[in-house]
Amino acid sequence: AGEPVARIIGAWEFWGLPFGLSSDTLVPRPDTETLVEAALGLGLGPDAPHRLADLGTGSGCILVALLTEWPQAVGLGIDRSPGACVTARANAARNGVADRAAFAVGDWASALSGPFDVVVANPPYIASEVIAGLSGEVRDHDPRLALDGGADGLDAYRTILAQVPRLLAPGG
């Protein structure tokens, strides 16, 4: 039926860590690991007490991966899906960072106040009219909320870019 293996087993690996999945989360993809690499490449010391925000956290894979690399950091994952937040919270516990991670339901950063040293996001970027033409593996099994970026695919980016400057700490 074209159901991805990750959906069948309900789990997938990201950044060498195990992650549970739900119908409210995307399957973590290797391409997203470049976002973790970019954050780690910012030159922040690994032992500093960084404050992180992950907008559109989904399974929590980005935030959890960063918390495993920065053992003194704390992070907040925000998602519009309550089910995704439940899954992300379980993944933080599964990977030993639950005491440094919090998750909340929200619309990007609209209800947040900073400062955060790092803000990461991997928002929906597929134009609405293109979704019907995606492979069945994606179209039929990934949550539409995590795929649909609006008419040109950039709705979430515009919202996030307008919100982030007020969230960043100096030098963030």
Side-chain angles (χ1 to χ4, degrees):
E3 186 173 1
V5 171
R7 293 280 176 212
I8 294 168
I9 63 174
W12 205 243
E13 184 180 289
F14 180 87
W15 202 252
L17 303 168
F19 285 88
L21 304 176
S22 71
S23 61
D24 298 300
T25 64
L26 291 172
V27 174
R29 291 174 170 85
D31 296 354
T32 304
E33 290 184 357
T34 60
L35 183 53
V36 175
E37 291 168 355
L40 293 173
L42 293 173
L44 303 174
D47 296 321
H50 310 304
R51 292 189 59 205
L52 316 175
D54 180 13
L55 309 180
T57 198
S59 67
C61 64
I62 297 167
L63 181 61
V64 169
L66 289 171
L67 290 175
T68 65
E69 295 290 334
W70 287 327
Q72 301 302 314
V74 295
L76 174 62
I78 302 292
D79 204 285
R80 295 181 290 172
S81 166
C85 288
V86 168
T87 302
R89 193 171 292 114
N91 283 326
R94 170 185 270 175
N95 287 289
V97 297
D99 61 332
R100 298 185 292 119
F103 299 92
V105 176
D107 186 23
W108 304 117
S110 62
L112 293 184
S113 61
F116 292 97
D117 300 298
V118 178
V119 177
V120 293
N122 186 21
Y125 56 83
I126 300 170
S128 302
E129 68 180 31
V130 175
I131 293 175
L134 294 176
S135 73
E137 181 177 298
V138 174
R139 179 191 63 237
D140 300 337
H141 299 284
D142 278 338
R144 186 172 181 107
L145 185 64
L147 298 173
D148 194 338
D152 64 358
L154 299 175
D155 284 357
Y157 287 87
R158 282 187 283 273
T159 300
I160 291 167
L161 287 173
Q163 295 172 345
V164 166
R166 68 176 171 73
L167 298 177
L168 289 173

